[in-house]
Amino acid sequence: MATEQTYITDLYRRVDELRARARADLSDVRLTRVSGLTHQGRSERDSRASMLEDRVAQLDGIEEGLCFGRIDRADDEQFYIGRIGVASPTYDRLLVDWRAPAARPFYAATPRAPQGVVRRRHIRTRQRVVLGIEDDVLDMDNVSEDDQRHLAGEGALLAALNAGRTGHMRDIVATIQAEQDAVIRAGLDGVLVVEGGPGTGKTAVALHRAAFLLYEHRRQLASRGVLVVGPGDVFLRYIERVLPSLGETGVLLSTISGLYRGARVTADESDAVATVKGDLRMADVLGHAVRLHQSLPNGTFEIRYGRTTLAIDRNEVARCRGKARRSRQPHNRARAVFLRELLNGLARQTARALDQDVLDAGSREDLISELREHEPVIEALDACWPVLNPEEVLRSLFADQQALDRAADRLTGPDRQLLTRPAGYGWTAADMPLLDELAERLGSIAPADPAAVARQAEEAAEEGYAADVLAELDLMVPVDASLVAARYRGTPTRQTTAERAGADRAWAYGHVIVDEAQELSPMAWRMLTRRCPSRSMTVVGDLAQATGPSSLRSWAQALDPYARSRWSRVELTVNYRTPTEIMAVAADVLRCADPQARPPEAIRSVGEQPVAVRVPADQLAGEVARLAGEQATAFGASETGGTVGIIVPAVHLSAVAAAVQREIPAASTSGRTSLDTPAVVLTARTTKGLEFDAVIVVEPAAIVAERRRGEHDLYVALSRATQRLIVAHAQPLPEGMTRLASSS
């Protein structure tokens, strides 16, 4: 172990040198005066600054667990494996990046297929101190008796599984298993569906896959970025540290709702309403709703313009509307076509009133500009084709039963009734894909000012030129053409790819990863695929855990409309997280809900049966708080620490949260806040993807009764624990929970 400690100490010393050098170089680059540089010089400066900023962020993010393994090969070569690649000042390889081809045998080699590996060593560290080493020997004949004392088989994996939880997901880079490694290193093209039950590591695999793809396909993905979509804000906070710990800081994390920046979710609604909103027919409903705003006058209306009376009749408006629609541009962009056509007609009327049958081009443009600024003209034209934004269109649609009946003729009467809302209602999660659909159909507002049009065209030309220059330079690090163009205009702003992507609703990502994908509605899938026209996606989920109002029943249902022949499925079958004793209870509940479902195989026992505690209904909240306090104290006193998750039906949330807060003041009890606390109170809906050392499931019968697929919610809740499960209840337990041991 002393040898490994010396090596890792030297390794950290080298990383410190690299970090200091990168910071010094970055400071020098930032101080470089750009006034005397050529276009190529400025581009190279920007490229180097971008590269150094990314390098500093990477070196800052990999402090913990920098090196975690070693491969000893039959040809006497020896590779240390870590989070990033590190070389000595003389370019000797000190550390191999876990994503590099040379590191793959660390995860994939087996005694039957050793891939040239004699020994695989796992190195456990805390900060910069080596705590222990464990060896997997693939060729016993080549290992000395002295070295055989370190043999521990699956010790590194079990140590990681038994370690206390902290409220943030750990990376699994040191313990990736062979079936997981094959998924992580799969190709970039097409849609890869990764299905796996609770505890199979599918979320961690997806995040490590993001890091691998950015390493393997850096040129292709660096400029477009990678998007990771999770089921909720709690989940995103849980996973937010994984990718930085793997040396990747440029990935955007978001919920589906967060992808639309024009509104925020402030309200909840019933599953029945959310189901209708998530139906793919809503795309046609919204298209009809937009067209309803492109209206025709009932007859002819007249406008005074100086001494002239201008007439706009229904047929002329219909002609102009038809031409604008045939342009196939979004509503707000097509408005410019509509206005131009009508203004041309009004200009001809004005010319005839002035006894000028023919106007030269300059006179016609001057007259059109005057008409454009005449308030009665603009009011009349806006009545026929107004500027729209998504929020006002959706609010007006849901608040007007007549408009809803006209636009939603494909929906049934009861469905239309479900959509009806008062004008000031708060936005829900199911509204966000609808608003995004409207944003796509409405488009940005075309500037009416000719100077603004010219300015936009000039900026677009500058960015095009910058892109051509950058393509010719073939820089090692991609540089954003818009940033280069902005520098020439004197308005440079340094933004990461993730920051630029997050600010642009229409951004097309290089790769998209979707977790808990079985919960997405058809409208949410439509929203997501717009952001990935290449259809390069990793879709992660478990159909057995589908509980939402629009949950999938098959992957083909979601993917065939967008990638019919370009998607494939792999399955993770081993549950590394949940002990066998706990998984047996969860599996029984799943079989009762769906006899065809196949739970994953748990491989780890903790020697402790999950228990059921029955208490009177009026004492339930207090008893749950007492149990939570006991568990928090027990895990807090342990060497590895840990967290307690209290999973409750929504009807008991406030009472249990208040009682737990009194018992454990540091607990997180809002159901939406940090997981980095001794205990967390959550509803069954928000617990997907999370894990805790101890879990207290409160009133399972109420969880089952809450939603149509409540048994699946209960299955999810029961499978969150890594060490201990307690079920507290006043009502009789649902079917399938007979394996619980009773406790007074």
Side-chain angles (χ1 to χ4, degrees), residues 560-632:
D560 278 353
Y562 308 105
R564 180 173 295 276
S565 61
R566 298 188 59 216
W567 70 273
S568 58
R569 174 185 169 276
V570 296
E571 185 176 7
L572 300 177
T573 58
V574 179
N575 183 338
Y576 300 98
R577 178 186 67 211
T578 314
T580 54
E581 298 88 346
I582 296 175
M583 196 60 206
V585 176
D588 286 347
V589 169
L590 177 62
R591 291 188 189 98
C592 291
D594 181 0
Q596 304 302 316
R598 185 179 64 176
E601 178 186 358
I603 61 169
R604 180 174 66 99
S605 171
V606 292
E608 180 179 340
Q609 284 296 119
V611 299
V613 180
R614 185 159 191 172
V615 295
D618 60 348
Q619 300 176 25
L620 183 62
E623 179 64 12
V624 169
R626 185 189 68 79
L627 291 169
E630 286 183 355
Q631 298 305 313

Side-chain angles (χ1 to χ4, degrees), residues 4-5 8-9 11-13 16 19 60-68 83 123-132 241:
E4 305 296 12
Q5 181 64 71
I8 287 180
T9 298
L11 191 60
Y12 272 107
R13 186 179 298 115
D16 290 340
R19 183 187 293 112
D60 285 343
I62 47 81
E63 177 68 19
E64 181 67 29
L66 172 63
C67 174
F68 52 78
R83 297 176 184 278
I123 304 172
R124 293 187 292 109
T125 62
R126 181 177 298 154
Q127 299 297 325
R128 301 186 175 198
V129 178
V130 176
L131 299 180
R241 298 183 185 177

Side-chain angles (χ1 to χ4, degrees), residues 611 613 620-621 623-632 635 643-649 656 660 664 679-682 684 687 692-700 703 714 717-718 720-721 724-729:
V611 299
V613 180
L620 183 62
E623 179 64 12
V624 169
R626 185 189 68 79
L627 291 169
E630 286 183 355
Q631 298 305 313
F635 281 101
T643 58
V644 180
I646 302 102
I647 303 174
V648 302
V656 171
V660 171
I664 312 172
V680 182
V681 180
L682 292 167
T687 194
F692 305 93
D693 294 276
V695 167
I696 302 172
V697 176
V698 180
E699 206 62 277
I703 291 176
L714 180 58
L718 292 170
R720 299 302 98 193
R724 189 172 299 158
L725 172 66
I726 300 172
V727 175
H729 66 106

Side-chain angles (χ1 to χ4, degrees), residues 280-294 325 331 388 393-394 397 403 406-410 434 437-442 523 526:
L280 202 57
R281 292 175 297 171
M282 286 300 298
D284 289 333
V285 171
L286 297 177
H288 287 307
V290 171
R291 287 192 288 275
L292 288 178
H293 290 273
Q294 302 164 0
R325 286 179 173 177
H331 171 90
L388 299 174
V393 173
L394 198 59
L397 176 66
R406 292 172 63 193
D409 57 346
R410 293 190 62 190
L434 306 185
E437 179 76 23
L438 282 169
E440 189 75 9
R441 290 175 179 270
L442 295 177
M523 286 301 293
R526 186 175 170 93

Side-chain angles (χ1 to χ4, degrees), residues 693-716:
D693 294 276
V695 167
I696 302 172
V697 176
V698 180
E699 206 62 277
I703 291 176
V704 170
E706 272 189 327
R707 294 204 286 177
R708 182 170 56 86
R709 289 174 63 83
E711 297 94 340
H712 296 264
D713 276 329
L714 180 58
Y715 169 63
V716 173

Side-chain angles (χ1 to χ4, degrees), residues 179-239:
E179 71 168 0
Q180 297 171 330
D181 183 69
V183 175
I184 290 169
R185 296 175 190 267
L188 177 65
D189 295 336
V191 179
L192 177 65
V193 176
V194 183
E195 186 164 16
T200 54
K202 55 187 180 298
T203 296
V205 166
L207 296 173
H208 287 67
R209 176 162 166 75
F212 172 77
L213 291 176
L214 282 165
Y215 174 89
E216 187 74 5
H217 305 279
R218 177 73 62 181
R219 281 182 174 271
Q220 189 171 345
L221 295 179
S223 62
R224 301 313 309 168
V226 173
L227 170 66
V228 175
V229 177
D233 292 330
V234 173
F235 177 83
L236 294 184
R237 285 192 289 274
Y238 178 59
I239 68 171

Side-chain angles (χ1 to χ4, degrees), residues 56 80 87 144 240 330 346 349 354 358 375 384 408 419 422 440 473 494 497 519 564 620 625 734:
V56 169
Y80 282 86
S144 68
E240 64 187 357
L346 294 177
Q349 287 187 44
L354 298 174
V358 179
E375 193 66 28
C384 299
L419 293 177
E440 189 75 9
L473 294 176
R494 162 65 176 159
T497 298
E519 302 297 346
R564 180 173 295 276
L620 183 62

